[in-house]
Amino acid sequence: LSPRTTILPNSMEGSQFGVTIGLEEVVGMMGTHVELSYDPDGLRLMDYTVLNETNDILLESNASVLEFVVVDTMNGSIVVDIALVWTGDVNGVNGSGEIFELWFEQLPLDSVSVDTFYLDFGDDSHIRSVDNDEIMLDGAGGVIYVWPEF
């Protein structure tokens, strides 16, 4: 998750900001299942994009990208499943890069009782190799601080 820490000034209420989900030094990746939760009382998910353009890591291996996304804005969760499909020899995706991005709107602070919001990976998040083995996942979430102005 990048950035792992986001600091927003109080005056950002109603403003949008983005975070990206990325891979670091993967070898032979063929798919991923990511569960991410957030506080819907302080953050509103506005948009998401699976990064599957020609210069993104998902297409560097000439694979077709299949994506399945489920958003639950009432409970503050998003589930992203990405599968890569090849014809011929399969080596998977290797390297580092971003795979999807999320855009949030900060809700007014007077509607919530806290000024710190978390983005957390679910325990069932995982990355799979071309052999369908699980690849180690650093599921460290992110923190969003709303900093009061003095």
Side-chain angles (χ1 to χ4, degrees), residues 68-139:
F68 306 93
V69 181
V70 177
V71 176
D72 181 352
T73 56
M74 295 297 292
N75 294 307
S77 70
I78 182 168
V79 177
V80 179
D81 289 299
I82 299 172
L84 304 171
V85 181
W86 291 266
T87 56
D89 292 336
V90 177
N91 295 320
V93 169
N94 301 304
S96 301
E98 298 171 345
I99 57 173
F100 66 93
E101 63 185 1
L102 306 170
W103 286 93
F104 291 95
E105 177 185 12
Q106 177 192 339
L107 299 177
L109 283 180
D110 57 358
S111 67
V112 296
S113 60
V114 298
D115 59 4
T116 303
F117 308 106
Y118 297 92
L119 297 174
D120 294 314
F121 286 101
D123 291 338
D124 290 331
S125 297
H126 55 267
I127 300 171
R128 293 281 179 187
S129 74
V130 294
D131 297 320
N132 202 25
D133 294 327
E134 189 165 339
I135 298 173
M136 189 161 98
L137 175 69
D138 171 11

Side-chain angles (χ1 to χ4, degrees), residues 21-33:
I21 309 299
L23 304 172
E24 291 183 3
E25 300 177 16
V26 295
V27 176
M29 188 202 81
M30 66 164 266
T32 184
H33 173 84

